[in-house]
Amino acid sequence: METLATRATVAPEAVEPRARRRRSALPYVLLAPAALVLALVIGYPLVRLVLISFQDYGLRALFSGRTRWIGFANYTAVLHGDEIVPMLVRTALVCVAMAGGTLLIGTGVALAMRALGRRMRTLVTFCLIAAWAVPSVAATMLWTWLFQPTYGVVNWMLRLGQYDWTAHTVSALLLVWLLVVWQSVPFVALTLYAGLSQIPGDYYEAAALDGAGYWTRFRVITVPFLRPILLLVTVLSVIWDFNVFNQIWLLTGGGPDGATTTLVVWSFRRAFASQSYGQGAAIAVLATVLLTALTWYYVRRLVRAGEVA
């Protein structure tokens, strides 16, 4: 009887660690299918890209299938070239301008949506979702028609005659910026509005009774509550804007005189225009490493903000 009682007492304690291990392993089991799909869809092309960056992969290798390993020669040619520094500076400036404009306008739209009535807010939400749902290629073609020099609606409305927006540096950059921000604002605005709707109204009422103005309430209440969401949309905006290709390539082709050529466009041109796939792959790998380091920094800040909150 003592043995049975002892076993009955010990058994639950022995089972508890097993149940705890099963619970801890459950998230990994649920994530395993998605991780496997990502490894096949993203992992293999990425590994193949890295391998090509170490090879003398040109037009001949593309048809013959035979390549020659040249080590870091492609990376040396890219890093020691005259284009790498201007390209990095231009990419950083374009990315900051796009992400900054998206966050600024998206935050303004989110704040305006909270101040609107139900019907107007529903209408604005529908318009944002409609703009967000348009594919990038279709939106770029629409932008091309709107700003077409001969019969474009924008030139007709502004009475600019046959002004070619893509032939001048400032107007070409402005054209790309407008398109990318127009496509990115809906996601940021809807995400921030969802965060704003979770802030209790009592905080604003108490601040108003204490005499706090609008900007003080925005700085003291709104920004701290939205900090994790702002960091999240900042990370996503930087990733998207860093990888913008369709809009730039279809609108300007990287011109005029390379004014709108970023790292992604440069990689494509070096690979397919110059038939130097090895150097194009090396540029893509460098861009991936740079973007990964930048994303890692923002994700660390996002995690810390979540822990503080």
Side-chain angles (χ1 to χ4, degrees), residues 158-205:
L158 298 178
R159 297 183 180 181
L160 296 177
Q162 296 187 0
Y163 180 78
D164 189 357
W165 290 77
T166 61
H168 305 84
T169 300
V170 177
S171 59
L173 290 171
L174 178 62
L175 192 61
V176 174
W177 183 87
L178 288 172
L179 174 57
V180 174
V181 171
W182 175 72
Q183 289 185 296
S184 304
V185 160
F187 172 79
V188 174
L190 294 175
T191 304
L192 292 179
Y193 171 71
L196 287 172
S197 63
Q198 302 302 314
I199 302 177
D202 298 339
Y203 290 93
Y204 293 101
E205 295 178 2

Side-chain angles (χ1 to χ4, degrees), residues 108-282:
V109 173
L111 293 172
M113 288 177 63
R114 194 179 64 170
L116 294 175
R118 182 177 180 181
R119 293 183 179 179
M120 283 300 299
R121 184 164 56 246
T122 303
L123 178 61
V124 172
T125 302
F126 174 79
C127 294
L128 290 174
I129 294 176
W132 190 26
V134 179
S136 61
V137 175
T140 305
M141 297 306 298
L142 175 62
W143 227 251
T144 302
W145 295 336
L146 289 174
F147 290 88
Q148 212 279 337
T150 305
Y151 53 81
V153 176
V154 176
N155 282 357
W156 174 74
M157 293 181 61
L158 298 178
R159 297 183 180 181
L160 296 177
Q162 296 187 0
Y163 180 78
D164 189 357
W165 290 77
T166 61
H168 305 84
T169 300
V170 177
S171 59
L173 290 171
L174 178 62
L175 192 61
V176 174
W177 183 87
L178 288 172
L179 174 57
V180 174
V181 171
W182 175 72
Q183 289 185 296
S184 304
V185 160
F187 172 79
V188 174
L190 294 175
T191 304
L192 292 179
Y193 171 71
L196 287 172
S197 63
Q198 302 302 314
I199 302 177
D202 298 339
Y203 290 93
Y204 293 101
E205 295 178 2
L209 291 176
D210 290 340
Y214 177 82
W215 290 110
T216 302
R217 283 175 287 171
F218 177 79
R219 178 175 55 85
V220 175
I221 301 175
T222 305
V223 172
F225 269 96
L226 291 183
R227 184 174 289 113
I229 303 178
L230 285 171
L231 288 174
L232 175 62
V233 295
T234 299
V235 172
L236 296 177
S237 297
V238 169
I239 294 174
W240 292 336
D241 296 336
F242 190 91
N243 291 318
V244 166
F245 174 78
N246 290 337
Q247 296 89 330
I248 296 177
W249 186 253
L250 294 177
L251 273 178
T252 65
D257 297 328
T260 58
T261 300
T262 60
L263 277 176
V264 178
V265 179
W266 187 36
S267 173
F268 180 84
R269 295 182 67 176
R270 182 61 64 92
F272 294 96
S274 303
Q275 306 300 332
S276 181
Y277 301 101
Q279 290 189 16

Side-chain angles (χ1 to χ4, degrees), residues 66-90:
R66 294 191 300 269
T67 60
R68 183 170 59 91
W69 290 87
I70 57 176
F72 290 93
N74 289 323
Y75 292 94
T76 302
V78 171
L79 295 175
H80 290 177
D82 298 332
E83 297 179 89
I84 182 64
V85 174
M87 205 65 61
L88 289 174
V89 173
R90 186 183 302 117

